[in-house]
Amino acid sequence: MSDRNAAAGGGDRARGEPAEDVLVEENHSGSVSLPSLMTPSSAACMSLSMEMPRKRKGSLDNQDTKSSSIPDADMEDDQNRSDGEDQNVKIKCFREPHSQIEKRRRDKMNNLIDELSAMIPTCNPMSRKLDKLTVLRMAVQHLKSLKGSASSFSEANYKPSFLPNEELKHLVLKAADGFLFVVGCDRGKIVFVSESITKILNYSRAELIGQSLFDYIHPKDMGKVKEQLSASELYPRERLIDAKTGLQVQADLPVGAERLCSGARRSFFCRMKYNKISIKVEEKEFQASTSKKKESQRYCTVHCTGYMRSWPTSHLEVDGDGEPDKQDSSYYSCLVAVGRIHSHSTPQVNGEVRVKPIEFITRFAMDGKFTFVDQRATTILGYLPQELLGTSCYEYFHQDDLPHLADRHRKVLRSKDKIETDCYKFRTKFGSFVTLQSQWFSFVNPWTKEVEYIVSTNTVISYDPSQTSRSEVKSELSSNSKTSEDDCNKSLQVILGISTTPGAMIYAGSIGTQIANELLDFNRMNSSSSSGSISPFSLPQDKCPQTHNQISNNVPNGGATDMEIPGKSSSEDEPQGAAFSGGESLMVENSQLDLDSVVGPGLSSLSNDEAAMAVIMSLLETDTNLGEAVDFEEMHWSS
Amino acid sequence: MTANKEKRRVISRDAARRRRQVESEVFVDLSRLLPFQQSVQDHLDKPSVIRLTLSYIRMHTLLKGKTGIKVEASHAVKCGQVMESGQEWRGCDRGRDDEEKKTDNVEASEETNMFLRILEGFLMVLSTEGDMIYLSDNVSKYMGLTQTELMGHNIFEYTHPCDHEEIRNNLRLTAEEVWCGAKRDFIMRIKGALTHRGRSSNLKSATWKVLHCQGRAKVCVAPSSVSCLLLTCQPLPLSHTLLSTHTFTSQHSMDMRFTYCDQRMTLLLGYSTEELLGRSIYDLCHILDTNCLTKNHLNLCFKSQSVSGQYRMLVRGGGYVWVESHSAVIPSVRPSKSRPGAHQPLCILCVTYVLSGVEEPSLQLSLDQAVHRYLR
């Protein structure tokens, strides 16, 4: 069997060199012969009979343990290496028809040729499939061109390497995220450090070479590092791990010799300083300097592995810090090691435990009312899901966040993308606030093309139990309104006396409703079909649709601007009257407005006064179901 | 009639021979251009020549894409900062004379070799399909198979089928990772053709070798954008290592219960050996690190070796320390004539490095700690 293989090996080499050359290969002989055993399957157009005798020819030279050529029948995987496979098949006395073998070989070759043609730029634009020979010729050309552009010093004794050495170095350092360093054992002087340290610890080489390693190590780890570098007097008993059995070996070795012998391995973790970047900003405060106090110094965990090496001092140029009369027989020993940063370690900022942020999911309808609340919300918000369902999310948002959240609400209804909110505060059951950040997207029913609900993935940013005092909550509750962070505009509250008058009824929920309504109206405007209004608070839309939309646009934005509301007084009557009079005129004006400008942020098209009026109007109209003046005292408020 | 047929056959045979000849010549030309020593070039078979050519071209494309970017802005996930390397890209070294270039080159090669030697591993560049586009030439030292034999082949042909899923997951690159230097750290079993004594044998008697692969994904933003995985692969276990005072060893049964632990543990964490026997390691660690421990445990059970990530071990009485464990499954040793010791069952051996000091010593994270603290 091995004869045949050997023969196959001998016969197939295209260059017809003697088989002994195989053994000259610097690498393991066993493995080299493997590729050479490939039969020229590409020339398999010949009949079987021709092939076989040729293979028989050849030397018995490459006998040795060319069982390497025998493919592993033992391995469970199907190797699918054509050469191995072929041998295997041949050995098994043609259980498969030879044509099958040949076909497989051809296919494999063809695949390779195809891949090659895909990689060669000149082959690519060709529309028709090129024949093998042409592809190969083009490959030759391409390789020649590639070699030409690379560094062109190819001396005879220069070891050719697959990659230019610089490139390889960069690849290795990039993959390993490490740096090479050599430190002297006696004082920890950094003798050498590779360039990659710049990328890792942000120090330049010049800064480090000649310095003591201990300057850059966390104080608590200094002992550890010293021990790893040091001589034996302090630590008489070595503890080594036997690599094969993994057992600890207590080696009572002669002090000093073994520990510092070349090749003795070291492996330890230590925390090393890294240099903060200096951002090129004018403000001085951002420029970090290395002379910061130690407490504020940042450390990262570096895994150092390497081995000890020693050189006789007579061979080295010692820097002169050693006395010249030191014995010549002494050795300068160093640790030659590689330091790697571990990706899964975040440098330990004191006391902070990095915890995965808690997320929970909620869904609400178009108008902001919760339709689904994840169970996890309870642990965070304190409310049971059923307590939240049906209520508007705006009732829980902190006052300051209403503007931007309403704006996002508006956005998400109109776009298909995920909208991220900024951090905002959400009131928990107990009155405190948690800071959340959410990602919203609206789910559109593919058949009705309407927004069915909005899915919100909420991430907890922080718990801040000291936000709102309970007393504040109480006073809000006593004001008969459901919430008091209702309005985005404090001045509005003052004017309309929301917190004090039983009659005034501004719900936070109405914000959501309006936003929803405005979308509906917009849709209705744009589409011929008339969809029924959803919100119970909706106005008789026919009356003043544009106004309504315009106004509700301004609701959240109103908070942002500094609105001067005419007739600022504590009495209710005047503002109301003003509102209505203003409102009417506004209505008239607005009806002339273009539809497109309605949907966009309409605040810019109105002056502050008008905007204020618009807000008041909308709020009042929403709650009253009527477009006319109403008597507030007689209103019935549903809850 | 037959004479004609015979003639035609001869002609066709000759033509075929000539074609084959020409083809062989082209193959020789191609192999000469490959950056290997002549003796290697001569012994490459045709599919290998193509494979290696492909690798060469692919590596070139990969690196070319790199040199297109002058200043490499490496987003460092570590250290939580964005570091910009102000380093000038040394790939295109124009304006430097040959002599300088040569020394640089030699230096670079030495540095790389040293690096890889210290690391006790080799470099692997994987395409997104799993083709081993490049392997550093010391791969033969660890795998028993040479660079020329392996390069260009697909990694799935050489690794344990149970690990394929994990490898595939690691090859996948998500959109965010493209810009954030995705890191990779996993363990896989690969066929290695080395005997116990370190000599290379044949693939037939190949055994599974456990490799710890660490590295990152790399995307070239070039016209022909290529992405690949750069990995350094270290066979486990590493060789003899001197343990420092901040390291302790422990032995566990397969369910991670302590069966032995050395005295350092007492100094570092406060537990005495007796206290720990029979207790599971999961009890002793921070609850949030359970995932990390589980992964480690699973790796051990399936692959027989593992490097855990960094996790927290609770200190007796309060607080915790950050540790990292390198573990291996030790096959059971039965007493025999040549080894008349005690019977040693299958167990797990862990070498745990303590990375930090005791953090938050007053924090009680387990009932145990509370008991120890208050009921002493």
Side-chain angles (χ1 to χ4, degrees):
Chain A
M1 202 150 76
S2 57
D3 273 354
R4 199 196 295 156
N5 290 337
D12 288 344
R13 257 182 301 242
R15 292 140 207 108
E17 285 176 49
E20 286 87 39
D21 276 359
V22 174
L23 304 169
V24 169
E25 176 66 28
E26 60 171 355
N27 281 326
H28 316 284
S29 51
S31 40
V32 165
S33 65
L34 199 44
S36 66
L37 287 166
M38 180 59 190
T39 60
S41 60
S42 45
C45 46
M46 295 300 291
S47 61
L48 298 178
S49 51
M50 291 291 289
E51 296 261 276
M52 286 314 297
R54 242 206 348 251
K55 282 185 211 129
R56 290 239 161 78
K57 267 187 251 162
S59 56
L60 307 163
D61 293 332
N62 46 349
Q63 280 292 349
D64 45 53
T65 52
K66 288 310 176 263
S67 43
S68 58
S69 58
I70 302 173
D72 46 313
D74 294 343
M75 295 302 262
E76 295 157 36
D77 292 340
D78 182 15
Q79 277 277 32
N80 202 27
R81 291 175 55 151
S82 57
D83 34 4
E85 201 182 287
D86 297 333
Q87 298 302 319
N88 191 15
V89 172
K90 274 189 230 109
I91 290 160
K92 288 184 179 157
C93 304
F94 307 105
R95 275 181 209 157
E96 241 181 319
H98 201 74
S99 55
Q100 283 282 14
I101 307 166
E102 287 304 320
K103 181 176 190 305
R104 235 180 307 172
R105 216 177 293 156
R106 274 200 305 276
D107 285 342
K108 184 129 183 121
M109 183 55 94
N110 288 339
N111 283 338
L112 285 172
I113 298 283
D114 286 342
E115 270 183 64
L116 194 59
S117 65
M119 287 302 298
I120 299 176
T122 44
C123 289
N124 270 338
M126 301 285 180
S127 49
R128 59 185 174 81
K129 197 174 160 187
L130 292 168
D131 69 297
K132 193 159 93 170
L133 211 53
T134 321
V135 173
L136 288 173
R137 288 213 172 102
M138 283 183 154
V140 171
Q141 288 307 314
H142 189 61
L143 280 200
K144 280 190 181 150
S145 71
L146 285 181
K147 292 198 109 172
S149 64
S151 46
S152 52
F153 50 98
S154 45
E155 292 146 19
N157 55 356
Y158 182 68
K159 181 170 179 246
S161 57
F162 208 75
L163 295 178
N165 285 322
E166 271 293 325
E167 310 282 8
L168 180 59
K169 187 177 90 164
H170 278 280
L171 275 186
V172 168
L173 294 175
K174 197 172 168 75
D177 254 344
F179 55 91
L180 200 59
F181 65 97
V182 181
V183 294
C185 289
D186 50 352
R187 268 180 261 254
K189 186 168 94 153
I190 300 176
V191 172
F192 171 81
V193 75
S194 69
E195 282 164 29
S196 49
I197 199 159
T198 328
K199 285 187 202 153
I200 298 174
L201 295 182
N202 208 27
Y203 290 108
S204 70
R205 273 173 105 177
E207 272 181 275
L208 294 173
I209 294 187
Q211 301 296 317
S212 167
L213 180 68
F214 294 110
D215 290 341
Y216 294 91
I217 293 189
H218 193 286
K220 288 196 180 150
D221 290 339
M222 284 201 204
K224 195 198 287 188
V225 178
K226 272 196 190 127
E227 181 209 12
Q228 292 280 311
L229 290 179
S230 73
S232 57
E233 294 84 33
L234 302 168
Y235 305 100
R237 303 225 354 248
E238 288 218 4
R239 298 182 310 142
L240 293 173
I241 292 273
D242 184 321
K244 295 195 186 71
T245 61
L247 293 174
Q248 200 168 297
V249 170
Q250 287 290 354
D252 291 323
L253 297 161
V255 158
E258 194 68 20
R259 197 182 295 264
L260 292 181
C261 74
S262 280
R265 267 194 83 81
R266 296 285 186 270
S267 171
F268 58 94
F269 288 82
C270 64
R271 281 164 285 182
M272 286 197 182
K273 273 186 212 171
Y274 60 91
N275 198 5
K276 292 198 200 142
I277 53 167
S278 56
I279 309 168
K280 287 191 173 63
V281 178
E282 262 59 56
E283 298 101 87
K284 293 281 169 143
E285 62 214 62
F286 288 143
Q287 281 212 335
S289 63
T290 41
S291 59
K292 279 203 156 219
K293 289 181 293 188
K294 254 191 182 167
E295 301 88 81
S296 54
Q297 194 53 260
R298 300 281 206 141
Y299 293 94
C300 56
T301 309
V302 178
H303 184 193
C304 304
T305 51
Y307 55 89
M308 306 297 283
R309 284 203 69 175
S310 49
W311 292 279
T313 35
S314 46
H315 293 183
L316 292 174
E317 308 160 5
V318 186
D319 266 3
D321 45 349
E323 285 115 35
D325 55 70
K326 254 203 171 134
Q327 52 282 52
D328 272 358
S329 57
S330 75
Y331 283 74
Y332 187 65
S333 52
C334 297
L335 173 69
V336 181
V338 159
R340 297 177 80 163
I341 303 265
H342 277 229
S343 58
H344 36 258
S345 75
T346 36
Q348 292 310 301
V349 180
N350 298 338
E352 258 182 51
V353 176
R354 203 166 63 101
V355 172
K356 190 174 166 214
I358 304 178
E359 276 188 0
F360 62 96
I361 297 191
T362 52
R363 285 206 293 260
F364 27 83
M366 233 166 77
D367 59 359
K369 294 213 166 76
F370 286 106
T371 58
F372 166 78
V373 175
D374 185 351
Q375 282 168 350
R376 288 173 287 185
T378 313
T379 51
I380 298 160
L381 304 176
Y383 298 103
L384 290 172
Q386 41 276 43
E387 291 175 20
L388 291 174
L389 294 177
T391 59
S392 169
C393 60
Y394 285 96
E395 297 168 27
Y396 307 90
F397 295 152
H398 193 276
Q399 197 167 319
D400 299 334
D401 299 312
L402 286 173
H404 103 263
L405 286 168
D407 170 66
R408 295 289 194 281
H409 184 184
R410 178 163 289 114
K411 268 199 195 135
V412 76
L413 287 176
R414 286 179 175 75
S415 104
K416 287 200 177 91
D417 304 319
K418 286 195 182 174
I419 307 282
E420 295 252 350
T421 68
D422 298 330
C423 293
Y424 60 94
K425 295 196 182 61
F426 195 104
R427 192 167 53 89
T428 67
K429 186 164 182 172
F430 315 106
S432 56
F433 283 86
V434 292
T435 313
L436 301 176
Q437 194 250 335
S438 305
Q439 202 183 54
W440 291 347
F441 79 91
S442 53
F443 173 71
V444 176
N445 188 319
W447 288 280
T448 62
K449 298 277 187 279
E450 279 177 4
V451 176
E452 286 245 333
Y453 49 78
I454 299 168
V455 181
S456 163
T457 312
N458 313 294
T459 313
V460 179
I461 305 289
S462 79
Y463 299 89
D464 199 351
S466 59
Q467 265 301 328
T468 334
S469 63
R470 295 208 170 248
S471 52
E472 212 182 285
V473 175
K474 278 194 199 141
S475 63
E476 287 167 358
L477 289 174
S478 67
S479 70
N480 190 32
S481 56
K482 260 194 181 172
T483 65
S484 73
E485 329 109 339
D486 162 14
D487 256 292
C488 35
N489 192 348
K490 289 193 179 122
S491 49
L492 272 179
Q493 270 184 331
V494 168
I495 289 185
L496 301 173
I498 288 168
S499 47
T500 54
T501 352
M505 192 63 151
I506 313 294
Y507 290 110
S510 63
I511 301 176
T513 322
Q514 282 164 50
I515 295 178
N517 285 339
E518 119 200 342
L519 179 72
L520 286 174
D521 295 337
F522 175 62
N523 287 343
R524 200 177 306 115
M525 293 301 154
N526 285 346
S527 66
S528 51
S529 64
S530 58
S531 52
S533 61
I534 297 173
S535 161
F537 287 105
S538 65
L539 283 175
Q541 293 297 327
D542 322 309
K543 274 222 167 179
C544 45
Q546 293 115 313
T547 316
H548 181 73
N549 286 340
Q550 177 108 54
I551 289 164
S552 51
N553 255 331
N554 298 333
V555 169
N557 292 331
T561 62
D562 202 63
M563 298 202 300
E564 265 185 276
I565 298 172
K568 233 181 197 180
S569 70
S570 47
S571 73
E572 297 167 39
D573 295 293
E574 207 182 359
Q576 284 172 29
F580 282 111
S581 57
E584 274 170 345
S585 56
L586 192 60
M587 275 156 62
V588 170
E589 283 163 26
N590 286 343
S591 53
Q592 264 97 52
L593 282 172
D594 201 39
L595 200 59
D596 288 330
S597 66
V598 163
V599 182
L603 194 59
S604 49
S605 58
L606 297 175
S607 72
N608 278 351
D609 290 358
E610 290 171 324
M613 280 307 127
V615 173
I616 296 168
M617 261 309 290
S618 69
L619 291 173
L620 292 173
E621 281 179 340
T622 304
D623 293 341
T624 61
N625 254 358
L626 301 166
E628 303 120 14
V630 288
D631 187 358
F632 272 61
E633 270 73 38
E634 287 181 10
M635 297 290 294
H636 302 292
W637 301 114
S638 55
S639 55
Chain B
M1 252 291 262
T2 34
N4 271 346
K5 249 200 216 162
E6 195 56 46
K7 225 190 194 175
R8 259 180 279 142
R9 243 187 255 144
V10 169
I11 294 172
S12 82
R13 232 183 296 152
D14 285 341
R17 200 180 296 140
R18 255 174 290 142
R19 274 201 302 272
R20 274 203 308 279
Q21 195 88 8
V22 168
E23 200 182 86
S24 299
E25 278 169 24
V26 178
F27 267 104
V28 173
D29 286 342
L30 200 55
S31 68
R32 288 268 175 268
L33 288 170
L34 290 174
F36 296 111
Q37 284 170 341
Q38 180 125 2
S39 49
V40 180
Q41 288 171 346
D42 292 339
H43 297 119
L44 292 173
D45 63 338
K46 290 179 185 173
S48 295
V49 171
I50 302 186
R51 258 193 301 122
L52 294 170
T53 313
L54 270 171
S55 281
Y56 189 75
I57 298 176
R58 280 165 115 170
M59 283 311 285
H60 244 274
T61 321
L62 200 74
L63 296 172
K64 208 155 52 126
K66 221 172 141 201
T67 55
I69 309 166
K70 264 283 184 154
V71 173
E72 213 176 36
S74 59
H75 293 264
V77 177
K78 59 204 174 270
C79 312
Q81 288 181 0
V82 173
M83 292 189 198
E84 278 211 2
S85 80
Q87 229 183 351
E88 216 186 88
W89 179 246
R90 294 195 50 197
C92 34
D93 41 6
R94 286 187 281 270
R96 307 176 74 216
D97 60 352
D98 267 357
E99 201 49 50
E100 252 185 52
K101 279 194 219 169
K102 183 179 164 198
T103 2
D104 276 349
N105 228 303
V106 170
E107 264 178 29
S109 132
E110 280 178 1
E111 199 176 306
T112 316
N113 287 339
M114 177 156 282
F115 200 95
L116 289 175
R117 198 162 29 154
I118 294 181
L119 218 53
E120 293 202 341
F122 57 93
L123 181 73
M124 188 192 296
V125 180
L126 281 178
S127 76
T128 42
E129 278 86 52
D131 294 323
M132 298 187 277
I133 312 178
Y134 177 75
L135 295 162
S136 60
D137 43 19
N138 60 344
V139 64
S140 49
K141 188 167 159 211
Y142 303 107
M143 299 244 320
L145 301 165
T146 60
Q147 194 188 26
T148 46
E149 278 178 311
L150 286 173
M151 231 166 21
H153 282 287
N154 194 287
I155 197 167
F156 292 113
E157 294 167 24
Y158 288 86
T159 48
H160 198 288
C162 294
D163 294 338
H164 285 182
E165 180 74 39
E166 196 178 344
I167 299 173
R168 247 182 281 266
N169 284 339
N170 277 295
L171 286 173
R172 220 172 290 144
L173 203 65
T174 65
E176 298 115 23
E177 285 177 324
V178 168
W179 299 106
C180 294
K183 298 262 191 158
R184 296 284 184 264
D185 189 324
F186 59 97
I187 296 185
M188 66 180 181
R189 284 164 285 183
I190 201 166
K191 288 179 200 167
L194 283 179
T195 63
H196 277 300
R197 287 198 190 82
R199 300 227 298 264
S200 89
S201 68
N202 52 65
L203 211 53
K204 179 184 180 191
S205 58
T207 50
W208 293 116
K209 215 170 166 62
V210 184
L211 282 185
H212 181 204
C213 304
Q214 290 172 289
R216 48 165 24 129
K218 182 172 163 44
V219 179
C220 290
V221 191
S224 58
S225 125
V226 177
S227 66
C228 66
L229 218 55
L230 296 175
L231 297 171
T232 52
C233 304
Q234 293 167 284
L236 296 174
L238 298 179
S239 55
H240 275 89
T241 311
L242 171 68
L243 298 179
S244 78
T245 45
H246 287 67
T247 325
F248 62 89
T249 58
S250 53
Q251 274 184 25
H252 306 254
S253 53
M254 290 310 284
D255 59 0
M256 290 304 272
R257 285 184 195 276
F258 281 87
T259 55
Y260 162 79
C261 131
D262 88 34
Q263 296 146 343
R264 297 264 172 221
M265 165 72 113
T266 320
L267 292 171
L268 295 165
L269 292 170
Y271 302 101
S272 69
T273 314
E274 299 77 39
E275 275 186 295
L276 290 177
L277 294 181
R279 295 192 62 187
S280 161
I281 201 172
Y282 289 96
D283 281 343
L284 287 187
C285 300
H286 199 292
I287 198 98
L288 292 169
D289 292 326
T290 316
N291 273 347
C292 172
L293 282 175
T294 311
K295 185 158 171 241
N296 191 41
H297 196 179
L298 284 172
N299 271 342
L300 278 172
C301 292
F302 290 132
K303 301 167 194 167
S304 86
Q305 315 217 24
S306 174
V307 174
S308 75
Q310 299 182 350
Y311 62 98
R312 287 158 285 198
M313 263 196 147
L314 302 177
V315 175
R316 192 183 199 273
Y320 56 87
V321 289
W322 285 92
V323 300
E324 177 167 313
S325 295
H326 295 213
S327 338
V329 173
I330 308 294
S332 53
V333 177
R334 287 178 198 284
S336 63
K337 258 198 280 187
S338 55
R339 242 191 300 221
H343 169 65
Q344 194 182 2
L346 189 70
C347 65
I348 293 174
L349 183 85
C350 290
V351 175
T352 310
Y353 296 87
V354 175
L355 307 175
S356 74
V358 177
E359 313 238 337
E360 299 194 67
S362 51
L363 185 63
Q364 307 287 310
L365 289 164
S366 76
L367 200 56
D368 236 22
Q369 283 183 314
V371 166
H372 286 135
R373 191 178 171 81
Y374 297 112
L375 298 183
R376 243 176 304 175

